[in-house]
Amino acid sequence: MVETRERVSVAAKAGVFWGCYIPALQPFAEAAFRLILDDLGLSLSDVRGIACCPSPFMFKILDYEYWLETARANLDAIASDFRAIVTLCNGCWDSLLHARDLVENPPEVLHIAEFLIGLRNALLKRIQTPLQNLRVAVHVGCKPRSKPSLVDAIHELTALTGARIVNWRTAKICCGYPLFLAKPDEALETRVRVKVEDVQQVGADAIVVVCPACFMLLERGQLVLRRKGLRQTTPVLHLVELLALALGHKGQEIGLDAHAIKPKALLESIG
Amino acid sequence: MRFLRWGPLVRQVLLGPGHPGHAQGGGAGAHEAYLRGVSMRAEEVAGKLREALGPKALRLETPTERRVFLTVAVEDLEDAVRAVLGLSREARFMTISAVDEGLDLELLYHVDVGGTVVTVRIKVPKEEMEVLDISHLAPAAEFIEREIRDLFGLEFVGLKPEKLYTPEGYEEKPLKKPMEGALPPQARPMAEALMGSACSVSVSRAVMRKRQDLGLPAMPPMAMAKPEALEEVRSLAEEVGFTERAGYDLEKKRLRYR
């Protein structure tokens, strides 16, 4: 079981706001996080708002007023039932965090990395398969850059798995997802290609992300770019998948076989 | 008014007989005195229009003391123009401006009411592209209506069929833009999904199967299951103006463009 002090920090009335992209497009991330929670002996409720967050990658840019008002209504609908809400998505985190100022007695809105870093000792004790053979490039995404402690937490959690974090020149460049909605070709060429080629140049085995939008574009974008001269592809993993692997779960258990870029070589290197 | 310094003949043409600035000896002072006699300030005009049109006046704005904007529905155009022209014996139809906003064509009917310009505003959805001809109320409108029809393709019901600018056989509408709203193509399915199911993406059968393989419930814990939540999402979108800005048709439950 998790240490008492940590158990208090995730006291009752905490829930997970799953958003849309993860449950509807990337269930492997949901499965991985549920496995982590089980391993830690934690049980968090599912939070259902009135709508998805809604996606800041699109609505915050195209219609700020609507985005904020819907996020406010969403948080307002769940405020009385939860004291803390955990999100697995940079977008949900951004939307609900902005809405906090507009809601009376709002719950804490925690990014998945903020939540898990509070459980670092419990996680560390449960590491069964240290991933020391793995070299990973961490892509934090844009939203967490506003909070340096969150960026640190993402890196610390990655390091906690035993994986080696590589330095790469374009780490801070956006994945290109918001640009993709307006100019897909430009996003693929000036963001995805640039970043992936950089990752490959420094010899990373995988790109680790904390956002389903980053995941989607960095993974699917590579498949499109393969037809346009990209020499090789690099698997993309959610941070929770990496953690679940380190906690001893098998790729199939998490659903890694459902990735568009199968991380076969990566799983072999783990053994 | 600069034209008052012009020769008597010009003044006669512009102002017409009986106007105090007409013919010799008018001058700027006389014209201003005339304006004081017949003019109405914007607030007064707005008050009279509100009274005459009641709920048909959807919006009345008076940004300056000589400017009034009256917004009405397309079907109330005739009543609105009649009300504006009826404000004063001196009311004078000026022109119509047409603005292609992508999804709608905005028409602005400008009328001078003793020095205060009243603009009647309507929006014609591009799916309809039809509006009543008002030349039976203001004969000078015929000229500009034919111009708008030639350049934008808007039909004025009752207007004589002859073209004004473009040659016979030339069917292009040079000032008409494509039917496009604010959302870029990649964002449109997400907006429709959000308004249709309260979530930006839907769950495919393949994902449902995969979820079950992973020991997860086939239908994920998303907001989409609750009809009352969906109702709230839609009314919120309407309230803050998103449906209008994005061009979402709440009745047909889809964007007005592809």
Side-chain angles (χ1 to χ4, degrees):
Chain A
M1 291 300 284
V2 184
E3 290 73 3
T4 313
R5 202 165 58 83
E6 287 175 338
R7 284 170 65 83
V8 171
S9 71
V10 288
K13 295 193 111 181
V16 186
F17 186 90
W18 295 100
C20 297
Y21 288 22
I22 284 182
L25 302 174
Q26 299 156 18
F28 30 83
E30 181 183 336
F33 187 47
R34 289 190 189 275
L35 288 171
I36 294 171
L37 290 175
D38 285 348
D39 289 348
L40 294 172
L42 292 172
S43 172
L44 301 186
S45 314
D46 295 333
V47 177
R48 288 172 195 261
I50 60 158
C52 69
C53 66
S55 169
F57 311 113
M58 183 179 127
F59 294 104
K60 188 178 181 182
I61 297 166
L62 294 172
D63 204 307
Y64 187 89
E65 192 184 351
Y66 173 63
W67 167 73
L68 192 58
E69 185 53 27
T70 306
R72 181 207 59 75
N74 230 341
L75 196 62
D76 200 35
I78 52 188
S80 57
D81 295 333
F82 295 96
R83 282 174 55 196
I85 289 170
V86 181
T87 69
L88 274 77
C89 167
N90 285 351
C92 297
W93 179 70
D94 185 41
S95 296
L96 298 179
L97 204 61
H98 272 79
R100 281 195 85 234
D101 293 341
L102 307 172
V103 174
E104 208 174 322
N105 299 321
E108 283 297 311
V109 176
L110 297 172
H111 190 279
I112 179 76
E114 289 177 304
F115 171 72
L116 289 175
I117 202 67
L119 302 163
R120 61 162 80 74
N121 294 334
L123 284 167
L124 204 51
K125 281 181 189 167
R126 286 163 179 77
I127 299 286
Q128 291 184 15
T129 316
L131 311 175
Q132 68 265 29
N133 293 335
L134 217 58
R135 288 164 58 83
V136 298
V138 179
H139 171 75
V140 166
C142 300
K143 311 290 179 199
R145 293 263 167 217
S146 61
K147 195 170 183 182
S149 63
L150 176 54
V151 176
D152 292 344
I154 294 165
H155 283 92
E156 196 179 330
L157 287 164
T158 308
L160 189 139
T161 64
R164 287 172 58 198
I165 299 174
V166 298
N167 283 322
W168 51 309
R169 199 170 43 90
T170 54
K172 289 183 182 174
I173 291 182
C174 169
C175 69
Y177 186 75
L179 178 61
F180 181 79
L181 296 175
K183 296 182 175 178
D185 292 339
E186 196 175 327
L188 291 175
E189 290 299 333
T190 65
R191 300 292 188 276
V192 179
R193 186 189 289 275
V194 169
K195 288 181 76 80
V196 170
E197 286 181 347
D198 191 16
V199 161
Q200 292 169 353
Q201 200 173 10
V202 296
D205 302 306
I207 303 170
V208 175
V209 299
V210 283
C211 173
C214 300
F215 183 99
M216 189 154 56
L217 198 63
L218 289 174
E219 189 191 60
R220 299 275 166 178
Q222 288 187 68
L223 298 182
V224 178
L225 289 172
R226 274 291 270 175
R227 297 194 291 271
K228 296 180 178 178
L230 184 71
R231 287 188 185 169
Q232 61 182 95
T233 54
T234 300
V236 185
L237 293 177
H238 281 277
L239 175 61
V240 282
E241 292 179 299
L242 194 74
L243 280 165
L245 287 172
L247 291 173
H249 296 285
K250 299 295 174 202
Q252 204 174 1
E253 205 182 345
I254 303 165
L256 292 188
D257 53 324
H259 282 213
I261 298 174
K262 313 285 182 222
K264 273 185 199 162
L266 181 147
L267 291 173
E268 281 164 14
S269 73
I270 296 169
Chain B
M1 302 291 277
R2 174 173 282 183
F3 70 80
L4 291 171
R5 289 197 292 275
W6 295 343
L9 181 62
V10 176
R11 284 205 300 266
Q12 190 172 352
V13 170
L14 288 172
L15 302 175
H19 191 286
H22 170 242
Q24 68 272 25
H31 179 68
E32 277 160 20
Y34 160 75
L35 276 184
R36 276 195 297 278
V38 299
S39 75
M40 278 187 273
R41 300 282 168 176
E43 285 301 334
E44 188 186 353
V45 168
K48 289 192 174 195
L49 289 174
R50 197 172 286 118
E51 195 179 313
L53 292 167
K56 289 181 181 173
L58 299 177
R59 198 168 176 187
L60 264 163
E61 297 156 282
T62 53
T64 69
E65 63 176 26
R66 289 288 184 191
R67 201 79 173 88
V68 178
F69 287 95
L70 164 66
T71 306
V72 295
V74 175
E75 59 270 23
D76 295 326
L77 173 69
E78 187 173 0
D79 288 348
V81 172
R82 206 183 285 279
V84 174
L85 292 172
L87 284 169
S88 160
R89 189 175 60 87
E90 306 296 330
R92 177 177 64 91
F93 170 81
M94 296 163 75
T95 189
I96 307 171
S97 310
V99 184
D100 189 336
E101 295 184 327
L103 294 175
D104 305 295
L105 198 66
E106 186 179 42
L107 293 183
L108 303 120
Y109 295 74
H110 310 288
V111 180
D112 171 28
V113 183
T116 292
V117 176
V118 181
T119 296
V120 178
R121 228 173 190 159
I122 59 167
K123 273 190 185 182
V124 184
K126 278 201 182 164
E127 292 93 336
E128 292 164 20
M129 286 299 268
E130 204 174 84
V131 70
L132 193 71
D133 154 40
I134 60 148
S135 61
H136 59 291
L137 300 175
E142 180 205 298
F143 188 75
I144 183 72
E145 285 178 343
R146 286 167 64 198
E147 182 181 343
I148 291 170
R149 183 176 59 195
D150 284 3
L151 299 178
F152 292 91
L154 179 68
E155 270 311 317
F156 289 87
V157 179
L159 182 64
K160 67 182 200 182
E162 285 80 14
K163 289 187 168 201
L164 182 71
Y165 277 154
T166 53
E168 287 304 325
Y170 178 83
E171 295 307 325
E172 283 181 38
K173 308 300 171 196
L175 294 187
K176 187 181 177 188
K177 294 180 189 169
M179 174 105 176
E180 288 277 343
L183 304 181
Q186 286 75 12
R188 292 171 198 169
M190 287 171 71
E192 284 195 331
L194 179 64
M195 299 302 292
S197 69
C199 283
S200 301
V201 288
S202 52
V203 190
S204 68
R205 286 181 189 278
V207 170
M208 283 188 198
R209 279 195 298 274
K210 186 67 205 170
R211 291 182 59 83
Q212 284 174 316
D213 290 348
L214 291 169
L216 302 170
M219 263 325 271
M222 294 158 74
M224 60 206 304
K226 297 182 191 168
E228 65 275 17
L230 189 56
E231 202 47 53
E232 192 175 342
V233 170
R234 287 185 185 144
S235 57
L236 204 74
E238 193 177 13
E239 214 172 278
V240 298
F242 173 72
T243 45
E244 194 186 335
R245 289 191 293 272
Y248 184 82
D249 188 326
L250 277 165
E251 278 179 24
K252 292 179 181 163
K253 295 186 173 56
R254 62 176 172 81
L255 288 169
R256 291 170 55 199
Y257 51 107
R258 290 287 145 205

